Amino acid sequence: ARVLEIARRLSRGEALGTEEEEEEEEGCPRHREPLEVFCKEDGALLCAICRESRAHRGHTVLPLPEAAREFQEQIQARLQTLKDGRDKLLELREAEMRRNW
């Protein structure tokens, strides 16, 4: 969720809020390194040190901009599916109301 919010704000050209800026400055809570990649298996932001740890070494990781773009595409596709379903329901509702009249 945090990655998506950051990506959404960056895509709109907004500056990150103070809370996010503080988190970005802190980076990794364990190593205080900048968070550079996203672990797909764990859904977590990782620093370079965490990335090389045993816990994540075999996992698929993406650079943050690529991960954000991938999530945005998934969200847009799901949103379009929901909009299409809503449109179909509204059409059915309208047809049913006309039939009842």
Side-chain angles (χ1 to χ4, degrees):
R2 182 171 171 267
V3 172
L4 292 175
E5 179 61 28
I6 291 169
R8 187 177 317 123
R9 288 183 178 191
L10 290 175
S11 70
R12 292 189 304 227
E14 292 181 14
L16 297 175
T18 56
E19 182 179 314
E20 285 88 2
E21 286 175 3
E22 289 173 8
E23 290 176 10
E24 286 296 320
E25 288 176 14
E26 286 182 21
C28 175
R30 181 177 290 155
H31 304 109
R32 300 290 186 229
E33 293 287 320
L35 300 170
E36 300 172 344
V37 294
F38 178 76
C39 176
K40 289 181 84 171
E41 279 81 354
D42 294 330
L45 297 172
L46 305 175
C47 71
I49 297 170
C50 289
R51 164 65 181 111
E52 296 304 320
S53 70
R54 287 183 188 167
H56 300 283
R57 191 176 296 149
H59 292 178
T60 304
V61 295
L62 298 171
L64 288 181
E66 188 177 328
R69 189 170 33 257
E70 188 175 297
F71 280 112
Q72 283 178 330
E73 290 170 0
Q74 289 176 5
I75 289 170
Q76 290 300 323
R78 291 178 180 160
L79 180 61
Q80 188 60 46
T81 301
L82 289 171
K83 285 180 179 179
D84 293 344
R86 182 195 64 199
D87 291 344
K88 287 179 185 177
L89 286 172
L90 290 173
E91 287 174 16
L92 287 172
R93 180 176 153 208
E94 187 177 323
E96 187 65 25
M97 287 176 70
R98 271 189 260 131
R99 192 175 66 132
N100 286 338
W101 278 99

